[in-house]
Amino acid sequence: MRWRPTRSSPVLGLAGSTWSSRLPEVRTQLDLDSASLGLLLLTIAVGGVIMLPLSGTVVTRIGPRRAVTVVALLVSASLGAISLGYALSASLLLTGFRSA
């Protein structure tokens, strides 16, 4: 049964590589300088470090199968939202949120 959670590793790796390969486009689209892009990437890492202690509790409570399933669904939904935002022009979305 240990192989089931490891099946998700390629999927999560693909999700990470998809984000990484789009960094130059995201930087251009959002008109970020190097410092702002670095800060954005730092916040992602800090979020991971904050969530790391909680992940053990979640896996203990709901089990590894459910935890991996939930994470895979969340990553898929996040990539879908990012793709939709990119398709609708992220700069227009940010401008709309600022004026609201």
Side-chain angles (χ1 to χ4, degrees):
M1 293 296 175
R2 297 183 100 199
W3 60 273
R4 288 183 179 170
T6 58
R7 282 192 305 190
S8 66
S9 293
V11 173
L12 295 175
L14 181 64
S17 65
T18 300
W19 165 245
S20 299
S21 67
R22 294 197 178 269
L23 277 176
E25 292 176 43
V26 169
R27 180 180 177 187
T28 304
Q29 185 85 13
L30 296 176
D31 194 29
L32 297 173
D33 60 350
S34 295
S36 298
L37 182 63
L39 185 60
L40 175 66
L41 295 174
L42 180 64
T43 58
I44 293 169
V46 168
V49 169
I50 291 171
M51 293 306 294
L52 193 59
L54 298 174
S55 64
T57 305
V58 171
V59 170
T60 301
R61 279 190 157 175
I62 67 173
R65 180 183 292 173
R66 284 187 180 164
V68 168
T69 302
V70 168
V71 167
L73 291 173
L74 287 173
V75 167
S76 298
S78 298
L79 286 176
I82 290 169
S83 298
L84 180 63
Y86 187 75
L88 296 176
S89 181
S91 61
L92 288 176
L93 286 175
L94 289 175
T95 304
F97 283 127
R98 286 184 195 153
S99 64

